[in-house]
Amino acid sequence: MNTALSWIKAYVPDLDVTAQEYTDAMTLTGTKVEGYERLDKNLEKIVVGQIEKIERHPDADKLVVCQVNIGTETIQIVTGAPNVKEGYKVPVVLDGGRVAGGHDGGPLPEEGIVIKKGKLRGVESCGMMCSIEELGSSRDMYPDAPESGIYILPDDAPLGADAVELLGLRDVVFEYEITSNRVDCYSVIGIAREAAATFRKKFVPPVIRETGNDEDISQYLSVKVEDTELCPRYCARMVKNIKLGPSPAWMQRRLAASGIRPINNIVDITNYVMEEYGQPMHAYDYDLISGHEIIVKCAKDGDVFQTLDGQERKLDSRVLMINDGEKEVGIAGIMGGENSKITDDVKTMVFEAACFDGTNIRLSAKRVGLRTDASGKFEKGLDPNTAGEAINRACQLIEELGAGEVVGGMIDVYPVKREGNRVPFEPEKINRLLGTDIPEKDMLGYFEMIDLGYDSETKEVIVPSWRQDLHRMADLAEEVARFYGYDIIPTSLPSGEATTGKLSFKMRVEEVAREIAEFCGFSQSMTYSFESPKVYDRLLIPEDSDLRRAVTISNPLGEDFSIMRTLPLNGMLTSLSTNYNRRNKEVRLYEMATVYLPKALPLTELPDERLQFTLGMYGSGDFFDMKGVVEEFFDKIGMRKRPHYSADEKKPFLHPGRQAEIVYEGTCVGYLGELHPDVADAYKLGEKTYVAVIDMPAVLPYATFDHKYTGIAKYPSVTRDLSMIMKKEILAGQIEDIIEQRGGKLLESYKLFDVYEGSQITAGYKSVAYSITFRAQDHTLEEKEVTTVMNKILNGLQGLGIELRS
């Protein structure tokens, strides 16, 4: 969105600010200015001069010597312009003046060009007469400028006057970044209203007077809207006896500054009102409308329509069309048709100003492959109430500019009028939200500046229909904040029960898992949640296993990414394989991997998403190293009891005799073990590989970061060593269970310090030795107490067939 400052000042007449002041203030109040361009940049000492005498240059056939009257004196200028004539008034750059660029229309130099007094082929020249390009503009902005030569000023231009100001170049064009919720600011009036409120100036919108002759448009035209949801309002007016011609200079300048090329008075008025009110309009040749009726309805599938740009567009039943009695004449809200366009022979035309459903216009523009300035505005969702004002404004301009005779009346199909909404005014909540102490009176003053009403009886702010972004207290608070000044709102902490953030309990446990893994030499990996169904075969998963019941991706990138993983191992093993095949001799990786377990297939609800702490390694490490990492993690998250390891259930992807389920207080919380040799071969892993998987949701109920302080023991401990002979099948965990069960309150700790198998031990047996420590908290232990506890432990061990080693 671009606007000229002069156009803004037309509605805010007391506005007197520099371009930078305007940029800063408007940005702070929410109308962000991306940048600006001064049209008079590098234009200095340029005045109106009149050519009084022209003579041939004595030494150059293509140059002439002109005597130019600049009001205070007559100066001599040598020029090669082909269009100079005596009596012409032209812009003249005086000695030491500056112009923006060259006459060839090439890139403009940053600092402009300084014009100095000198000689051309031996003849003195005291200045330069300018083309429109040398003034930093173009024929798009000044259509009356010649293609080659100097610009000719009007005959009534006063000699010696500032030519830059006379040409309307003492102006600034601002570029805005308008957010989609501020549809009202896609218009000059909307921007001007914001500027008036920002600078506390009076806003003076255009005064629309009644137009039209004594006739009634209904005698000439009928309008029918079949789909009032896609077209909530349709306004039509007529103009007879059209007189095409150029629009006035002020209108051309404003349109050109907004990036619109002036064409003729009718087209320019249509574009002018579109920019002024943000309401697109369209004109049809009345004589080309069959049956003199307009019908708004959707197209038929397969229809083909030729738009004004000469292209044929394929339509379907979701594209809204403007039709006459026989044919389609325009794509609603996008572009008119070639079959009803305004030509130089037009005598009578129909003006259209309507409101169309924004979503439908956006989708229709994509379907037909055509996006225009009009569709860009309609798709934002315009206010239907603006359509009537805009079409009346256009008819007023037609009368003022003598472009035709406006027929009386307006056809207005508007079955359900859109009203503004009401928002409760709660100044206390607004201040609490903003952290301010703004008086209620000041808030109401801000609302009044932007044309928001107030009902003192109901204490409600009355929001006009063109402010479609105000619905609740927070929206009103934003209006207060931006006009009070974001830069002066004091810094304050958010209010609430807690003002300092911290990690949730779940995230703290996950953080400990990462810290333990990295402390033990593991590096973090991240793998895809999408996998191939072939993964199950590589992991030796049975055909009837629930692990094969995976969520299928409806639009996969390919078969290799077609399901959501139910196991975290494929990504881990693939990463280990990549490292192994790149000759990394020792690798330890971990991942916080999410698996997706459907509750039913096909899906009737979201799957169970479970985060699993996955560890994998090969190289210098074994089963017990991996077990140590797991137990270190449990200890750090407050799981003080000893986990148990069960080999009852066999994981097909793990070595049959070197795997275990991790059980804590009767709940399986994970598993660990050596990778099955066949699986290792499938992943091309040439070394023993160990993995561990801990189900984080299963661990969380047992985790705690609460620690109970115990002082340094006052009484000495007693240590007993226990050396035993047992069968190889007996596990250390079974021994430790008996020590814990029978050690009672006096048991402080125990430690396995020796395991021996060899020639001195009977075949099929092993020697295991533990160091057991006892301590009482309130007295020094006696030999009798320790002996009693040791006897209980020994009795339990004998039940397993364990004997003391002599």
Side-chain angles (χ1 to χ4, degrees):
M1 177 76 187
N2 293 351
T3 66
L5 183 59
S6 59
W7 202 347
I8 300 297
K9 288 183 177 180
Y11 311 126
V12 192
D14 297 332
L15 187 62
D16 183 18
V17 292
T18 65
Q20 192 60 51
E21 289 172 344
Y22 182 91
T23 297
D24 295 341
M26 291 291 283
T27 299
L28 277 175
T29 56
T31 308
K32 184 180 179 183
V33 179
E34 283 287 300
Y36 62 86
E37 178 185 3
R38 287 179 41 239
L39 299 183
D40 61 351
K41 180 181 178 181
N42 297 327
L43 300 182
E44 299 175 6
K45 297 178 70 174
I46 304 176
V47 299
V48 177
Q50 186 172 23
I51 303 173
E52 295 186 338
K53 185 178 180 181
I54 300 176
E55 296 177 337
R56 296 181 62 83
H57 192 288
D59 295 323
D61 294 338
K62 294 184 178 181
L63 298 179
V64 294
V65 182
C66 301
Q67 304 300 321
V68 183
N69 182 1
I70 59 172
T72 57
E73 61 178 317
T74 299
I75 62 174
Q76 180 172 286
I77 297 177
V78 179
T79 182
N83 64 329
V84 293
K85 289 185 180 180
E86 292 181 358
Y88 274 4
K89 290 184 177 179
V90 296
V92 177
V93 189
L94 304 179
D95 179 28
R98 191 186 300 269
V99 293
H103 66 278
D104 57 357
L108 303 182
E110 182 66 25
E111 301 299 329
I113 299 173
V114 177
I115 304 301
K116 296 182 179 180
K117 183 177 180 180
K119 290 185 178 182
L120 289 177
R121 300 292 292 271
V123 177
E124 186 177 55
S125 182
C126 300
M128 184 180 79
M129 293 178 284
C130 302
S131 68
I132 200 65
E133 288 79 14
E134 288 163 335
L135 294 173
S137 192
S138 67
R139 295 185 70 247
D140 285 340
M141 192 166 181
Y142 293 85
D144 57 333
E147 291 187 16
S148 177
I150 61 173
Y151 184 78
I152 309 302
L153 296 170
D155 292 338
D156 58 354
L159 291 178
D162 184 350
V164 177
E165 184 173 356
L166 185 69
L167 288 167
L169 292 173
R170 295 289 183 206
D171 205 350
V172 185
V173 176
F174 295 95
E175 179 185 356
Y176 305 89
E177 180 187 326
I178 308 298
T179 54
S180 296
N181 65 323
R182 289 303 305 272
V183 183
D184 57 300
C185 287
Y186 283 92
S187 66
V188 178
I189 286 179
I191 296 289
R193 185 185 287 111
E194 290 290 309
T198 297
F199 294 100
R200 309 299 195 265
K201 302 294 183 182
K202 185 178 180 181
F203 173 58
V204 185
V207 178
I208 302 175
R209 58 175 177 80
E210 187 176 346
T211 55
N213 57 22
D214 295 334
E215 298 178 285
D216 186 355
I217 186 175
S218 300
Q219 298 174 355
Y220 292 88
L221 184 72
S222 66
V223 176
K224 180 181 179 182
V225 179
E226 294 189 359
D227 195 331
T228 54
E229 288 189 4
L230 298 184
C231 179
R233 188 179 190 185
Y234 189 97
C235 302
R237 296 201 68 175
M238 280 183 60
V239 181
K240 303 194 306 182
N241 303 322
I242 292 174
K243 300 174 184 177
L244 290 178
S247 55
W250 60 268
M251 182 176 286
Q252 292 186 25
R253 304 291 184 269
R254 290 179 180 179
L255 288 175
S258 298
I260 299 174
R261 182 172 62 88
I263 297 175
N264 59 47
N265 49 5
I266 298 299
V267 176
D268 291 354
I269 287 171
T270 303
N271 289 331
Y272 184 86
V273 174
M274 180 177 73
E275 291 298 305
E276 187 177 42
Y277 279 85
Q279 171 66 52
M281 300 180 63
H282 189 68
Y284 302 97
D285 189 331
Y286 175 75
D287 296 326
L288 298 179
I289 297 178
S290 300
H292 295 163
E293 63 177 334
I294 289 177
I295 304 171
V296 183
K297 62 181 181 179
C298 287
K300 297 177 181 178
D301 289 331
D303 283 358
V304 177
F305 180 71
Q306 189 176 29
T307 48
L308 279 171
D309 57 2
Q311 301 293 317
E312 290 190 345
R313 311 287 176 177
K314 293 182 180 180
L315 310 175
D316 60 37
S317 59
R318 294 169 291 179
V319 178
L320 190 66
M321 301 295 293
I322 310 299
N323 305 263
D324 61 15
E326 298 178 355
K327 61 187 180 300
E328 297 158 330
V329 296
I331 305 178
I334 299 175
M335 185 177 281
E338 183 75 17
N339 55 12
S340 62
K341 69 178 181 180
I342 299 294
T343 65
D344 292 343
D345 299 327
V346 66
K347 302 299 181 185
T348 306
M349 71 175 185
V350 176
F351 254 146
E352 166 194 283
C355 184
F356 303 109
D357 178 74
T359 302
N360 179 263
I361 295 298
R362 179 176 60 82
L363 296 175
S364 296
K366 289 186 67 175
R367 291 191 191 101
V368 302
L370 177 63
R371 194 172 188 273
T372 61
D373 289 341
S375 68
K377 291 183 183 293
F378 276 122
E379 66 188 25
K380 304 286 190 304
L382 299 183
D383 175 21
N385 294 322
T386 304
E389 294 182 33
I391 200 169
N392 288 331
R393 171 66 166 163
C395 291
Q396 176 183 340
L397 289 171
I398 285 176
E399 286 192 349
E400 290 178 355
L401 301 183
E405 179 186 354
V406 179
V407 175
M410 176 175 69
I411 296 177
D412 189 2
V413 182
Y414 196 10
V416 181
K417 184 177 180 181
R418 178 178 294 179
E419 302 290 346
N421 62 312
R422 289 171 170 255
V423 181
F425 178 49
E426 303 167 295
E428 299 83 5
K429 287 186 178 180
I430 292 175
N431 274 322
R432 192 159 58 246
L433 178 65
L434 299 178
T436 56
D437 189 20
I438 304 172
E440 178 180 330
K441 181 180 178 181
D442 291 353
M443 294 185 188
L444 293 175
Y446 300 146
F447 298 153
E448 185 180 357
M449 290 190 308
I450 51 177
D451 292 344
L452 303 184
Y454 179 63
D455 187 336
S456 58
E457 293 185 1
T458 61
K459 290 191 175 182
E460 292 177 317
V461 175
I462 304 171
V463 181
S465 57
W466 43 264
R467 281 304 300 270
Q468 301 178 33
D469 60 313
L470 302 181
H471 303 285
R472 53 190 63 85
M473 182 276 293
D475 298 328
L476 296 181
E478 182 182 6
E479 300 301 297
V480 171
R482 66 194 188 96
F483 290 113
Y484 175 73
Y486 286 114
D487 54 332
I488 60 174
I489 292 178
T491 301
S492 60
L493 289 172
S495 60
E497 295 180 359
T499 57
T500 56
K502 64 177 182 179
L503 294 177
S504 65
F505 179 77
K506 173 177 174 291
M507 294 176 70
R508 290 175 66 192
V509 172
E510 293 170 9
E511 186 178 45
V512 171
R514 294 187 185 92
E515 290 176 353
I516 292 299
E518 291 169 7
F519 176 79
C520 294
F522 289 76
S523 299
Q524 186 172 15
S525 67
M526 297 181 68
T527 60
Y528 289 113
S529 296
F530 299 167
E531 292 185 337
S532 168
K534 298 176 182 177
V535 165
Y536 301 124
D537 295 332
R538 298 176 74 183
L539 292 174
L540 308 179
I541 303 297
E543 291 293 335
D544 58 349
S545 173
D546 287 342
L547 293 175
R548 287 183 178 264
R549 300 176 66 250
V551 178
T552 303
I553 307 299
S554 59
N555 57 339
L557 297 174
E559 186 184 6
D560 289 345
F561 302 95
S562 60
I563 62 170
M564 304 291 287
R565 65 185 174 192
T566 57
L567 276 169
L569 291 179
N570 177 64
M572 174 60 68
L573 296 178
T574 301
S575 298
L576 291 172
S577 174
T578 300
N579 279 275
Y580 179 80
N581 287 286
R582 291 182 180 175
R583 302 180 184 276
N584 289 329
K585 295 182 179 180
E586 183 171 341
V587 175
R588 294 189 175 195
L589 299 176
Y590 79 93
E591 180 181 8
M592 305 301 291
T594 303
V595 296
Y596 304 85
L597 307 177
K599 299 171 184 175
L601 288 177
L603 286 177
T604 56
E605 57 181 317
L606 292 175
D608 184 14
E609 298 184 25
R610 304 185 73 84
L611 186 68
Q612 299 196 330
F613 179 27
T614 308
L615 300 156
M617 69 178 186
Y618 68 80
S620 60
D622 58 15
F623 180 93
F624 297 102
D625 289 312
M626 186 67 82
K627 177 172 171 284
V629 176
V630 171
E631 293 183 352
E632 178 74 9
F633 167 60
F634 287 168
D635 182 67
K636 289 297 182 183
I637 60 173
M639 296 170 65
R640 304 300 183 196
K641 294 183 180 180
R642 184 175 58 83
H644 289 74
Y645 300 89
S646 170
D648 294 340
E649 185 174 342
K650 303 297 183 181
K651 303 289 183 185
F653 42 82
L654 296 180
H655 194 293
R658 300 168 189 170
Q659 59 170 292
E661 279 195 338
I662 307 169
V663 181
Y664 190 86
E665 291 192 2
T667 300
C668 177
V669 296
Y671 55 86
L672 78 160
E674 181 185 326
L675 198 63
H676 194 290
D678 292 343
V679 176
D681 289 343
Y683 283 92
K684 297 181 180 179
L685 286 164
E687 290 197 27
K688 289 183 178 181
T689 302
Y690 299 91
V691 296
V693 177
I694 300 172
D695 189 44
M696 298 299 279
V699 163
L700 285 178
Y702 305 106
T704 179
F705 291 104
D706 296 333
H707 300 283
K708 185 178 180 181
Y709 171 76
T710 55
I712 299 174
K714 295 181 180 179
Y715 301 96
S717 63
V718 176
T719 301
R720 293 286 186 269
D721 290 344
L722 195 59
S723 182
M724 301 162 282
I725 300 292
M726 65 192 74
K727 293 182 179 180
K728 288 185 178 181
E729 291 77 15
I730 297 176
L731 302 176
Q734 294 175 275
I735 300 171
E736 292 171 1
D737 285 342
I738 292 175
I739 294 174
E740 287 184 357
Q741 292 169 8
R742 304 202 170 203
K745 294 182 180 180
L746 297 183
L747 178 66
E748 182 177 74
S749 64
Y750 56 86
K751 182 179 180 181
L752 173 66
F753 67 87
D754 182 59
V755 177
Y756 174 75
E757 295 179 31
S759 58
Q760 299 181 17
I761 303 295
T762 306
Y765 283 78
K766 62 183 176 180
S767 171
V768 176
Y770 276 88
S771 176
I772 305 175
T773 302
F774 301 96
R775 190 194 304 267
Q777 298 297 320
D778 54 355
H779 65 281
T780 299
L781 288 175
E782 297 180 358
E783 179 66 25
K784 181 180 179 181
E785 293 178 282
V786 176
T787 301
T788 301
V789 175
M790 283 297 296
N791 288 335
K792 290 181 180 180
I793 293 174
L794 292 173
N795 290 335
L797 294 174
Q798 288 174 359
L800 293 176
I802 298 174
E803 298 179 358
L804 288 178
R805 184 177 180 182
S806 58

